[in-house]
Amino acid sequence: MAFAIVATFPFGTYRGHTGQGEVDLFPSQARLHAALLAAAGSGTRAETAGQSTLRPCPADTAALEWIEENPSDGMVMPTRAQSRTDATAYRNLGLLKPKRTGIKQIGKQDLAGVALGGSVCWVWETDPPPDVRQSLEALCPDVPYLGQADSPVRLRVERAALPRLSHRRNPGARLGSRRPGSLDLAVPRRGRTAALSQLHDLEASAKVPTVSADASKTDERELTPAVCSSSLGIERFQSVDAQPAEGPWEWCWVVPFEASARITREQAVAFSVAFRKTLISHFDGDAPSLLTGRYAEGVAKPSNRLAIQIVSASACTAEPIPTRQAFVVAVPRSADPADVAVIGEALMAAETIRALGRAVRLSVDADRSALVDAAAFWRPPEDGLYRTWSVLPAVVETRAQGHNWSLADAVTLSIGLVWKDQLDQDHWSTARGSERYRLVLAAARAAGVRVLSVHSLPVSQVERFVHKTPEGLAPLPYQASVELGELEGAGTAFAAIGQSRHLGGGLLVPNDVPEDVAESWRLGS
Amino acid sequence: MANLDFNLLLQATSAGGPSALSATTPLAPAAGPQAAIAPAKYASPRGDLGTYVYEVRFVDGEAVHTVLIDSAQSSRNRMEIALVQAIDDGNAVLGRLPRIRVTYERDGLVESYTDLELPHRAFDAHVRAGTVDGKPVTQHAAYRAARDSSPANAWDLLNLSPCSLALGSWDASRKARQGRWPSVVTGEIIGVLTDQGGATERSTPKKGGARVDPIGMSAQLDGATLEALAVQQEDELSAATFKKVVDGARKLKAGEKASASALGFGGIPPTLSQLGAVSCRAVTRTQVVSFASLRQIRFGKGPEGDAALRAVLAALALNGLTRSNAELYIRANCHLVEAGPTRMVIDQRGGSFEELEPSSIEQADALLDAAISHAAHVAGLDWHGQCFDVAGNPAVLAGAADETPED
């Protein structure tokens, strides 16, 4: 018989923070375990261990150790909505030098939480041993809250009428198996109960401060409790209903060309701009917005437009490129078919692209009218290899986000903006400016986007990498290596990121590494 | 529908009892559904205007935009104020509550604050910096014993500052053995926003203020007149404002004039420079009393005695909740009325619930009285309104005086 621990939050919200102070998006099994241990260690079932200390009874310790050995087989994660706020509550802090600075006030942003559309369940498909089950049945109602103390919970054991799983644990999960809706959640590993108990015992048995140590001081600081991070692991819970994510671009034309010399990375933007001009010239002033990027006032701009990139024959494209290099003209998802058709006609008519004093001749041998599936543009990674992505030739940062904005944030945001339509937009569709950027960034991270490395390029001629420079801002070209998480689970889609993604910049090129290497990057391994 | 009687309370605080009691009340703007109300305002690092706390919540399965009208912390503060007022009014049951009282003398006047009003309750800096009989509070045996209390035995804290156990407290600056007592009661009021074009700070309506001076919208005065007016109003002005006006007046050369707006003369044109009120289609107050939290505390009186003492704390929390609910004043421009009855439920183990009749103030008093009497009988509780009197540290008062709103 299946067995579940069900958590119901009376306020309909879960409020917790991770070790870095960020909002915890999901109550993990590690947090559940810690809450059960706290109840076992000080609730009505606890045993007296000394004059002023309590400890869990042996039956409860065994039940908690059973959870260490048996992570749940699945979860029911209800509909969620994360709210973010920068609302800051101030409070007086002790006696910090009152004569010199007045009563010191500190601000705290602890109001954000996650709204839940139902109960959270951790489901085991087979019953635990009877004594474990009995302990958990008795312990659950003694857990007052999960997360912050202002996040009260009603916890109970359920054996019948279990809801359908939303996420199933994948015991063999590896980095490359991440799919849309996957949750990588912290779980207790063998020894977690003992480690937490030991830390608690250490604090509880600490010597009572002396009278002088307890004296009121004029410079007091809040001393936070120690955090135990040992014996924690990560388990991947994959969405039962997940569908493969749709890429930002749906189709592409691959147009090989002949040139006396290779178009270098630094020349890619210039030739792509020239290619677009050639296509635009075909329309005699009536080119579609999909191509020009100019939209009438009031018309909502799509996330992406027609992208023109240059790839080499040596790249691991699914279809071989007959010449040394080729232009790729990619059509974004949901483009108007009529626009695609007329751009296709312009493409067929184009012969030569001129830029930087050179000319390249587009191949007439290839069937330029054939549209290639952009979702299968790259060959899949070979067995044993894990796909990461390098950004070539470079991405250009053209935003001013203040001193807290890192290059890693910039590349994550760029990815999030490209995949904007595939991300959950409920919470940021109406946000604007830097607030919107922060929310897109969080959504991209939640989807598994990770920046593995990033560095700025020491170049003085940034115009090589950017086709339009915002007034008053110095563009910063950089290269990066990234994981796309569930945004591109298959690892085969054509995509480009950044300001010049539509014209020769920011192409995401596969960069495969041995899975063992990638696996070592995972937390908890 | 049953009342929350003492037997049920005792069962809830004993081993095997329910997890929590929750109370939900629909509220509405007093002036009618068309009226806007002022939510709780918070500071924002992005500007002086401040912000409201907007959240998405699921109501009847639908994701809706909400605004926080009253927070958990604020809700507990309302309970404390209600309890203090009842004690001040001579309520016989609440008058038995032990409390810590810090007294300051300022300009010949005596000011007292109890642990029900001080933000960190028993562990507040005002308490720790004070003295008892001329000796630091932190050396006093009773205070030290309360500070050394642990979940294994909180008897000494219970008898010094029960509100610290019921409403939460954290001895956060103590070097070791910090007392960490989560509140057993929490609550909030949220409003489901009407369609206001998206619930973000960008769409929060603004409100303006203005001052009309019938004599003239701009009062420009010479230096001597300005200084004379400032001297005349010195008692009503802050030291900083007085100095600023006088210094400015003395710097004026012959024939020069300056605005007397700082002295209250002249008009202020209307500007939309403050956060306005918001319109809500539903307002809900939710409160939770956690029996699971209470069951984490022991008092060294055995299972029966400990349960009885927990029942006292539960009855105290419920009393504060009942009293604060009876008064629906939240803040200016946030006048609410009850739009329906309070639904109070207590869970039974296994996922079932029992609905309860909400208590009146008299019933809440009777429940607390019964709990105290029972605890006196089975656990030796001796509550008779004892106050732990602390003389406030004058240095703290001087420091607090340095910071005035005008600065």
Side-chain angles (χ1 to χ4, degrees):
Chain A
M1 181 181 278
F3 167 86
I5 294 179
V6 182
T8 306
F9 294 85
F11 288 110
T13 51
Y14 162 65
R15 297 182 191 278
H17 289 90
T18 62
Q20 290 77 39
E22 293 183 350
V23 175
D24 191 16
L25 298 174
F26 317 98
S28 69
Q29 198 163 314
R31 196 182 280 277
L32 170 72
H33 172 270
L36 287 167
L37 176 57
S42 59
T44 50
R45 292 169 61 83
E47 291 180 341
T48 305
Q51 198 173 5
S52 61
T53 53
L54 300 169
R55 67 180 173 208
C57 65
D60 289 353
T61 302
L64 292 160
E65 288 172 349
W66 180 85
I67 292 180
E68 294 173 4
E69 304 284 345
N70 297 276
S72 67
D73 298 304
M75 292 188 70
V76 179
M77 192 63 85
T79 311
R80 301 177 306 278
Q82 185 198 356
S83 300
R84 286 178 170 263
T85 174
D86 60 1
T88 306
Y90 285 89
R91 65 185 180 84
N92 290 348
L93 182 66
L95 295 171
L96 280 170
K97 297 184 174 62
K99 281 190 174 176
R100 285 173 51 193
T101 60
I103 300 295
K104 182 75 174 176
Q105 288 198 318
I106 58 163
K108 205 168 183 183
Q109 293 176 305
D110 62 354
L111 292 151
V114 179
L116 301 170
S119 299
V120 178
C121 305
W122 295 267
V123 180
W124 286 262
E125 290 185 329
T126 52
D127 246 2
D131 48 347
V132 169
R133 180 168 49 77
Q134 284 162 16
S135 278
L136 294 176
E137 280 173 347
L139 275 180
C140 281
D142 273 358
V143 173
Y145 51 85
L146 276 182
Q148 295 176 198
D150 283 336
S151 181
V153 71
R154 283 192 178 106
L155 215 59
R156 64 188 165 85
V157 162
E158 183 71 68
R159 298 181 69 204
L162 293 180
R164 182 175 165 271
L165 287 184
S166 67
H167 292 76
R168 181 175 294 282
R169 184 169 60 88
N170 179 357
R174 300 179 74 80
L175 267 177
S177 62
R178 191 176 171 103
R179 294 290 179 268
S182 291
L183 303 175
D184 285 356
L185 298 177
V187 294
R189 297 287 194 219
R190 182 183 296 177
R192 179 72 176 164
T193 306
L196 285 172
S197 299
Q198 194 177 4
L199 182 65
H200 175 266
D201 292 347
L202 203 65
E203 288 198 351
S205 63
K207 195 178 160 191
V208 173
T210 60
V211 169
S212 62
D214 263 346
S216 175
K217 295 179 271 296
T218 55
D219 189 1
E220 298 189 324
R221 290 175 200 283
E222 193 173 286
L223 301 169
T224 50
V227 175
C228 176
S229 57
S230 65
S231 300
L232 274 177
I234 300 287
E235 290 282 352
R236 175 162 300 158
F237 292 84
Q238 292 185 329
S239 171
V240 171
D241 300 319
Q243 299 295 321
E246 294 182 329
W249 283 272
E250 189 172 13
W251 304 103
C252 50
W253 289 283
V254 178
V255 187
F257 60 81
E258 301 287 354
S260 55
R262 290 176 61 85
I263 293 177
T264 65
R265 291 176 180 180
E266 289 78 10
Q267 296 168 335
V269 168
F271 274 92
S272 298
V273 169
F275 197 156
R276 185 175 72 158
K277 281 182 181 168
T278 303
L279 293 178
I280 289 173
S281 67
H282 180 81
F283 291 93
D284 197 19
D286 193 23
S289 298
L290 178 66
L291 181 60
T292 62
R294 281 195 285 274
Y295 290 81
E297 198 171 332
V299 175
K301 291 183 179 178
S303 303
N304 298 293
R305 300 187 296 278
L306 197 81
I308 301 175
Q309 296 283 342
I310 297 173
V311 293
S312 298
S314 57
C316 65
T317 52
E319 297 295 328
I321 293 172
T323 53
R324 279 201 295 183
Q325 288 176 295
F327 284 105
V328 178
V329 182
V331 180
R333 199 163 291 280
S334 305
D336 185 337
D339 288 345
V340 178
V342 293
I343 291 172
E345 289 172 16
L347 192 71
M348 291 294 290
E351 294 178 353
T352 305
I353 307 299
R354 298 176 194 282
L356 304 173
R358 293 171 53 195
V360 299
R361 178 174 291 278
L362 303 182
S363 170
V364 292
D365 297 332
D367 183 1
R368 276 195 236 161
S369 64
L371 278 164
V372 175
D373 181 2
F377 183 78
W378 305 102
R379 281 198 304 274
E382 293 177 10
D383 286 349
L385 293 180
Y386 171 66
R387 179 145 291 177
T388 67
W389 301 86
S390 295
V391 189
L392 295 176
V395 196
V396 180
E397 172 65 351
T398 54
R399 306 177 193 96
Q401 293 292 326
H403 61 281
N404 288 328
W405 190 251
S406 70
L407 270 183
D409 292 337
V411 70
T412 309
L413 173 64
S414 294
I415 293 169
L417 291 175
V418 168
W419 267 269
K420 185 164 65 78
D421 297 339
Q422 285 77 26
L423 293 173
D424 181 7
Q425 296 186 48
D426 280 355
H427 324 305
W428 46 270
S429 57
T430 57
R432 293 289 178 272
S434 59
E435 170 70 3
R436 181 166 173 269
Y437 285 164
R438 281 195 296 146
L439 296 175
V440 174
L441 188 72
R445 284 184 181 143
V449 173
R450 300 285 179 271
V451 178
L452 304 173
S453 68
V454 61
H455 62 274
S456 58
L457 293 180
V459 293
S460 55
Q461 295 172 294
V462 292
E463 63 275 12
R464 290 174 177 173
F465 303 104
V466 62
H467 59 92
K468 197 163 61 179
T469 307
E471 199 175 336
L473 284 175
L476 176 66
Y478 62 90
Q479 290 181 328
S481 176
V482 298
E483 290 179 59
L484 293 177
E486 65 191 45
L487 293 182
E488 224 307 281
T492 56
F494 167 91
I497 65 170
Q499 186 257 15
S500 54
R501 65 185 181 276
H502 300 120
L503 293 169
L507 180 64
L508 290 172
V509 179
N511 178 25
D512 297 343
V513 298
E515 281 199 351
D516 289 345
V517 173
E519 192 66 17
S520 69
W521 299 336
R522 289 190 70 184
L523 277 175
S525 63
Chain B
M1 203 184 303
N3 278 313
L4 178 61
D5 62 19
F6 178 64
N7 286 335
L8 184 55
L9 196 67
L10 199 58
Q11 181 207 335
T13 54
S14 303
S19 291
L21 173 149
S22 57
T24 312
T25 310
L27 305 174
Q34 80 287 351
I37 49 177
K41 186 177 170 184
Y42 288 86
S44 168
R46 286 179 295 144
D48 295 336
L49 201 58
T51 186
Y52 297 145
V53 176
Y54 293 105
E55 289 184 300
V56 173
R57 298 283 187 102
F58 292 93
V59 176
D60 298 329
E62 181 196 357
V64 293
H65 290 289
T66 66
V67 65
L68 184 68
I69 293 171
D70 200 37
S71 70
Q73 295 86 344
S74 177
S75 145
R76 283 192 287 270
N77 291 154
R78 288 182 208 297
M79 291 178 207
E80 289 165 323
I81 291 167
L83 292 171
V84 167
Q85 285 175 346
I87 293 169
D88 289 348
D89 289 345
N91 181 283
V93 182
L94 288 168
R96 296 168 71 180
L97 201 68
R99 48 205 184 272
I100 300 173
R101 183 167 52 204
V102 181
T103 303
Y104 288 108
E105 198 173 315
R106 187 180 350 216
D107 301 329
L109 297 173
V110 173
E111 300 172 22
S112 290
Y113 305 93
T114 69
D115 51 349
L116 283 161
E117 295 150 298
L118 296 169
H120 296 82
R121 302 187 179 100
F123 309 121
D124 196 87
H126 289 279
V127 177
R128 288 184 291 109
T131 55
V132 176
D133 299 331
K135 287 186 177 177
V137 167
T138 51
Q139 294 180 15
H140 195 281
Y143 189 75
R144 287 192 66 74
R147 216 172 173 188
D148 291 342
S149 291
S150 73
N153 192 335
W155 173 253
D156 291 307
L157 184 56
L158 177 76
N159 287 304
L160 191 77
S161 175
C163 75
S164 296
L165 287 172
L167 300 172
S169 53
W170 185 1
D171 199 358
S173 63
R174 200 180 195 199
K175 189 178 175 186
R177 301 284 287 270
Q178 298 180 345
R180 296 177 200 140
W181 307 100
S183 173
V184 303
V185 59
T186 186
E188 65 176 18
I189 301 175
I190 61 163
V192 178
L193 295 166
T194 54
D195 184 2
Q196 293 173 100
T200 72
E201 72 284 354
R202 294 178 61 83
S203 60
T204 297
K206 305 290 187 293
K207 69 174 180 181
R211 183 173 73 196
V212 175
D213 188 328
I215 307 301
M217 284 302 280
S218 177
Q220 299 291 324
L221 303 176
D222 60 67
T225 310
L226 265 179
E227 185 173 348
L229 280 170
V231 170
Q232 194 180 11
Q233 296 184 20
E234 186 175 357
D235 290 346
E236 283 77 44
L237 299 173
S238 74
T241 303
F242 177 77
K243 186 174 185 304
K244 186 179 170 187
V245 172
V246 170
D247 287 353
R250 286 175 182 169
K251 284 178 187 168
L252 291 176
K253 294 173 184 168
E256 282 186 336
K257 292 183 176 180
S259 170
S261 60
L263 299 174
F265 296 102
I268 298 173
T271 52
L272 293 175
S273 57
Q274 295 176 50
L275 285 178
V278 297
S279 177
C280 297
R281 60 184 161 93
V283 180
T284 306
R285 180 180 64 206
T286 311
Q287 294 155 322
V288 172
V289 176
S290 171
F291 298 112
S293 277
L294 281 167
R295 288 199 297 270
Q296 312 294 311
I297 312 173
R298 299 184 189 196
F299 303 94
K301 301 295 178 186
E304 189 188 1
D306 287 350
L309 294 167
R310 290 182 203 122
V312 172
L313 291 175
L316 176 59
L318 286 162
N319 197 292
L321 193 139
T322 305
R323 285 181 182 280
S324 66
N325 286 354
E327 194 58 68
L328 255 176
Y329 175 72
I330 307 297
R331 68 181 64 82
N333 301 317
C334 186
H335 304 295
L336 299 170
V337 293
E338 291 182 351
T342 296
R343 183 168 183 261
M344 187 180 273
V345 293
I346 191 167
D347 65 289
Q348 305 297 307
R349 296 221 167 181
S352 62
F353 291 88
E354 182 182 354
E355 198 151 340
L356 299 171
E357 186 75 38
S359 303
S360 65
I361 289 177
E362 292 73 23
Q363 288 169 323
D365 280 352
L367 191 68
L368 179 60
D369 193 33
I372 293 173
S373 298
H374 179 71
H377 179 64
V378 302
L381 189 73
D382 180 21
W383 280 8
H384 50 273
Q386 58 268 50
C387 270
F388 183 71
D389 274 307
V390 175
N393 189 328
V396 175
L397 205 60
D402 287 342
E403 194 174 61
T404 58
E406 289 84 3
D407 294 338

